[in-house]
Amino acid sequence: MTVRAARAGDEDAIFALVEQLGHAFAPDRDAFDATMAGYLAGEQPTVLLLVAEDGDGVRGYALTTIVPLLSTNGPSAQLQEIVVASDARGHDYGTQLVHAVEAECERRGVTQLTVASRRAGGFYDRLGFHESAEYMRRFFA
């Protein structure tokens, strides 16, 4: 398995993974394509999009945003999305993705990495994350 930056040609595999996420919004391919095009063109330098691949292709991805916050004495990162193909779960793809995100955060001088997740809390506990807050959200149409 290799973890690398997403690149052109990964779109179909990543979209298939997006469809496996539990969603408040149904995945829309046109919206996805527009967003991916921006990421791949480097229009969003605060977005880190990594994929895990093996001989079967892209098996997972992690999307992280990195922004400077006033309260963190430097850039702060939020692991926004992470998913591993259902038939690849339990084989360290997610762990390797998180480790790669952490390494890139350290390289960029990030002072904290946060993730909002209730369903996979045990996974993040094993990786050294600590619970610190509830996650709340509001949807806009």
Side-chain angles (χ1 to χ4, degrees), residues 13-15 17-18 21 49-52 58-63 81-84 97:
I14 293 172
F15 187 75
L17 292 165
V18 167
L21 286 171
L49 180 56
L50 301 176
V51 298
V58 172
R59 309 292 282 149
Y61 79 89
L63 184 136
E81 298 175 6
I82 185 169
V83 63
V84 172
L97 281 163

Side-chain angles (χ1 to χ4, degrees), residues 2 5-6 16 33 44 46-47 62 67 80 82 84 96 101 117 127 131:
T2 303
D33 286 341
Q44 300 290 331
T46 60
V47 173
V67 296
Q80 301 283 356
I82 185 169
V84 172
Q96 294 306 313
V101 167
S117 178
L127 294 174
E131 187 175 334

